[in-house]
Amino acid sequence: VRHLADAGLVGLAGAEGPPFVAPHGGTKAVIGTNPLAIAMGRGPERVVIDVASSSATMADIRTARATGRPLPDGIALDGDGRSTSVAAEVAALLPRGGQVGSLLGLVVELMAGVAGGGRGDPKGRGVFLLAFDPAVAGESTGWQARLAGLKSDWTTGGGHWPRGGGLPVEATLDAEFVQRLDTYLARMTGRGNR
């Protein structure tokens, strides 16, 4: 999504994987950890939000298993659908933020799993990528100034302006992936061969 933001677009992407997260109030894994990312803007105003819909990651569980460290309470279920803090017993993670995280994971599953064809695919995971140009509306919305204003309000209100995790601002995509992405973007916008 950073690449899309750098191109002046708003990018939204998500990926689904094998079932490892139970729905809110559920007792067994139904969806993957289903991360969702959005990016908008360039330079210092650029915002990149990337969040998993689960309370932990599979890497967290592997690390806890390897070290024997207990998991925090309320993030995982065992094979019988009961809460567990023993990593070796984990059969499902719980959604981040309860019902909101559960519904966020369901949105990603609908887009990447159902519409994107990934659900049940034994070869891997489904993904979706949405991109739109806020300038195409035909009227100037002044979105860059609004974004800068939101950043100012957010940070002066005590919030952290997310820039995309631990990646440096200058991080770039693999050249082959950029070429494929640019080809798809051109096709979607009618600027490429069909």
Side-chain angles (χ1 to χ4, degrees):
V1 291
R2 282 174 183 243
H3 183 71
L4 296 171
D6 287 342
L9 303 171
V10 176
L12 181 69
E16 63 84 43
F20 198 56
V21 180
H24 178 66
T27 57
K28 69 177 194 164
V30 176
I31 63 173
T33 57
N34 293 12
L36 180 70
I38 185 170
M40 180 180 196
R42 294 179 179 147
E45 276 73 44
R46 180 171 59 192
V47 61
V48 180
I49 300 169
D50 185 357
V51 63
S53 59
S54 59
S55 56
T57 66
M58 289 190 274
D60 295 332
I61 303 305
R62 283 192 297 270
T63 299
R65 281 181 183 160
T67 62
R69 188 185 84 239
L71 298 168
D73 290 334
I75 69 162
L77 301 173
D78 66 14
D80 294 322
R82 294 183 307 246
S83 183
T84 185
S85 61
V86 179
E89 296 176 357
V90 175
L93 292 173
L94 293 172
R96 178 185 309 270
Q99 184 179 18
V100 172
S102 187
L103 293 174
L104 177 66
L106 182 57
V107 166
V108 173
E109 192 73 25
L110 291 168
M111 298 296 291
V114 176
R119 185 156 179 81
D121 180 357
K123 295 179 187 171
R125 52 178 53 203
V127 298
F128 78 89
L129 178 67
L130 299 175
F132 68 91
D133 183 346
V136 171
E139 298 178 15
S140 174
T141 60
W143 71 270
Q144 294 97 335
R146 291 175 193 265
L147 181 60
L150 174 59
K151 178 186 178 190
S152 176
D153 292 346
W154 188 264
T155 57
T156 58
H160 164 74
W161 194 245
R163 308 260 316 157
L167 290 177
V169 173
E170 64 277 356
T172 60
L173 294 172
D174 171 85
E176 181 183 334
F177 183 80
V178 169
Q179 183 179 5
R180 287 194 338 249
L181 180 58
D182 286 343
T183 299
Y184 290 130
L185 289 173
R187 191 177 315 143
M188 289 186 301
T189 61
R191 294 188 298 242
N193 298 333
R194 292 198 182 263

